[in-house]
Amino acid sequence: MKDISCTVLVVGAGPGGYVAAIRAGQLGLDTVIVEAKKPGGTCLNVGCIPSKALIHAADEFLKVREMAEGRRTPGIRLESPSFDLGACRDWKDGIVNRLTNGVAGLLKKARVKTVEGWATFRDGKTVEVTTATGPQVIRAEHVIIATGSEPVTLPSLPFGGRVISSTEALALTTPPERLVVVGAGYIGLELGTAFRKLGSDVTVVEATDRILPLYDADLTRPVANRLSDLGIAVHLGAKARGMAGGEALLVETADGSETRFPADAVLVTVGRRPLTEGWGREELALDMDGRFIAIDEHCRTSMRGVYAVGDVTGEPMLAHRAMAQGEMVAEIIAGEKRAWDKVSVPAVCFTDPEIVTAGLSPDQARGAGFEIKTGQFPFQANGRAMTTESEEGFVRIVARADNHLVLGLQAVGVGVSELSSSFSLALEMGCRLEDVAATIHAHPTLSEAIPEAALRTLGHALHI
């Protein structure tokens, strides 16, 4: 097979990789992207998109089931509903296919050449790709490593049989009768809650003393309350020790005793790790930052002409961070002056209720040496929240005490993920409390809680 030479080579077609390739192609750079699976990476294929589709379906099923049981108040009455997870999976897969085909089309439109196969580096300018038709050698002036991440495995619970990762969970055709989730981070709680709404008996086992340990207690308390309301058993300070008899999970509880949780499926969600092995990293002279590839503010690695973006470069391991990095790197290679100077990389937990954070929390701001003002506005005082039966939660704002510069915004509540863009815009624009408070927000919407939180922080809230 004839060798390929190009200006830009992107290894990995996840969110960071495909955005870098598309932007490089738009800028007129001769670009090749290599991907062993479908374009879109974990996010589009087995992560963000399919999980949110399942969560939506589960929410809708719970609503109609509660309407049929007379437990919801809008006056809608239904006969007993049923749920077909196989049909839901087909619907979800259809969405995934539309998006991945869309990415492939965008790459083609930008004149990016796609090579399907597994790339292994020979040196900092050359990879050999194992394709269906044989080895393909590609040489490039600039290389972008975008290999992504993979689920963390536990030595005592290797994947296989009843022990599954989120990938297998999203491919199930029937809800497991008994599901044990190991790990109370966002992936475990998102999927565990969805399967509980679909009828599974769900138990969560978490080694730390709280759920969602990366978020403060004020934000996670409504989620914990909802888990209890749904009948999800949460065991904190508990360590999974392995399968007992092949049909139950052996757990060491917080008091040191052992118990067994019968399980038709054990979903292990204890985090993700960067994919830094298996593609020839040992052939490159890359400095590492712990388990991640070390980069500077331009996403340059320690090797000239070699860049890295996305999960392989560190936290936060989020698709939108990877996309922003990929776009920036393509423009840098094209000669534009760019640097990573983002004030906000918002994070969302699609739990029930949702959590969204942008910028600094109160504790983080104090830890950074700021004297702060902070206030929150509850959705119990928001008309739109009332009309959608979603009064649980609040919007919170954090600002400097001296000049009122906004340092962070957080929210917990149904549908608050859609507030993340407003939060980030306020931070990137350098807004002060007075700016947020004076900005008209449409009525009736959840977003009205944002200026109300600012007004409350200033000491003169209007609607509470």
Side-chain angles (χ1 to χ4, degrees):
M1 193 177 295
K2 186 178 179 180
D3 293 358
I4 296 174
S5 294
C6 60
T7 303
V8 179
L9 169 64
V10 183
V11 179
Y18 81 71
V19 167
I22 290 171
R23 187 67 183 123
Q26 290 175 340
L27 292 166
L29 301 174
D30 181 18
T31 304
V32 175
I33 190 167
V34 180
E35 174 56 55
K37 300 176 182 178
K38 289 184 177 180
T42 294
C43 179
L44 262 63
N45 289 284
V46 292
C48 310
I49 299 302
S51 66
K52 302 316 168 281
L54 178 65
I55 289 167
H56 170 72
D59 286 343
E60 294 301 295
F61 179 60
L62 180 63
K63 286 180 183 178
V64 296
R65 195 175 69 194
E66 289 180 342
M67 289 174 184
E69 295 169 357
R71 290 194 287 141
R72 294 186 74 90
T73 57
I76 301 172
R77 295 290 180 264
L78 300 171
E79 297 298 325
S80 179
S82 62
F83 187 82
D84 184 340
L85 185 55
C88 177
R89 187 185 67 172
D90 293 342
W91 167 73
K92 165 181 65 67
D93 291 347
I95 294 172
V96 171
N97 288 335
R98 284 168 57 195
L99 289 171
T100 55
N101 290 338
V103 170
L106 291 170
L107 289 166
K108 185 176 180 180
K109 180 181 178 181
R111 296 182 176 85
V112 175
K113 179 177 178 57
T114 300
V115 177
E116 297 181 5
W118 186 267
T120 304
F121 280 88
R122 290 182 175 179
D123 56 47
K125 302 292 184 183
T126 312
V127 299
E128 181 178 306
V129 184
T130 303
T131 74
T133 56
Q136 172 70 69
V137 175
I138 306 173
R139 295 182 175 85
E141 297 176 35
H142 306 273
V143 173
I144 303 173
I145 299 171
T147 48
S149 62
E150 61 185 355
V152 171
T153 59
L154 292 175
S156 61
L157 286 170
F159 293 129
R162 299 192 183 202
V163 181
I164 61 176
S165 72
S166 57
T167 299
E168 291 78 37
L170 290 167
L172 293 172
T173 56
T174 57
E177 182 177 343
R178 300 164 301 179
L179 174 67
V180 178
V181 179
V182 179
Y186 74 95
I187 297 175
L189 294 188
E190 285 179 6
L191 293 179
T193 300
F195 279 107
R196 176 58 186 153
K197 292 176 179 179
L198 298 179
S200 297
D201 181 8
V202 177
T203 300
V204 177
V205 175
E206 169 57 42
T208 68
D209 61 357
R210 51 177 302 191
I211 65 169
L212 299 170
L214 297 180
Y215 297 86
D216 64 69
D218 286 345
L219 293 172
T220 60
R221 191 173 296 111
V223 178
N225 292 340
R226 182 59 170 156
L227 293 173
S228 177
D229 291 343
L230 289 169
I232 296 175
V234 179
H235 298 269
L236 301 175
K239 299 178 178 63
R241 295 304 188 194
M243 297 299 290
E247 297 182 356
L249 179 68
L250 179 64
V251 174
E252 179 185 332
T253 58
D255 61 8
S257 62
E258 288 189 345
T259 188
R260 288 170 170 79
F261 295 116
D264 299 294
V266 175
L267 173 58
V268 178
T269 59
V270 293
R272 296 185 66 83
R273 61 187 175 197
L275 189 55
T276 57
E277 306 296 334
W279 44 263
R281 180 170 64 87
E282 62 278 5
E283 302 299 326
L284 307 178
L286 295 176
D287 289 345
M288 301 297 289
D289 181 11
R291 56 182 183 162
F292 300 105
I293 297 175
I295 57 171
D296 66 8
E297 70 275 13
H298 303 99
C299 288
R300 295 179 299 201
T301 71
S302 54
M303 292 186 69
R304 184 184 297 273
V306 178
Y307 300 80
V309 301
D311 289 0
V312 78
T313 66
E315 299 287 355
M317 297 167 73
L318 298 171
H320 42 282
R321 170 179 174 267
M323 291 179 182
Q325 287 179 320
E327 180 185 16
M328 180 188 75
V329 168
E331 293 179 355
I332 288 172
I333 293 172
E336 298 186 18
K337 291 184 178 180
R338 292 288 309 277
W340 187 262
D341 61 351
K342 304 299 183 187
V343 176
S344 173
V345 181
V348 179
C349 289
F350 289 87
T351 44
D352 183 3
E354 296 173 351
I355 297 174
V356 58
T357 65
L360 302 178
S361 70
D363 287 344
Q364 290 170 333
R366 294 187 188 100
F370 293 108
E371 185 178 346
I372 66 168
K373 296 172 69 71
T374 184
Q376 63 187 47
F377 187 83
F379 286 124
Q380 287 178 333
N382 177 273
R384 181 57 176 160
M386 294 178 187
T387 63
T388 57
E389 303 176 282
S390 52
E391 298 178 35
E392 185 76 19
F394 58 86
V395 169
R396 182 176 68 195
I397 193 166
V398 183
R400 287 177 53 160
D402 57 353
N403 61 9
H404 296 178
L405 178 70
V406 177
L407 300 174
L409 295 108
Q410 301 86 37
V412 56
V414 174
V416 296
S417 57
E418 296 301 329
L419 301 182
S420 62
S421 57
S422 294
F423 289 3
S424 285
L425 188 60
L427 291 167
E428 292 289 350
M429 297 297 291
C431 288
R432 302 179 189 272
L433 289 173
E434 290 82 359
D435 299 318
V436 177
T439 301
I440 296 175
H441 288 66
H443 173 78
T445 65
L446 294 180
S447 67
E448 290 177 276
I450 302 173
E452 288 284 359
L455 286 168
R456 194 174 191 190
T457 307
L458 290 168
H460 49 89
L462 294 174
H463 289 92
I464 189 171

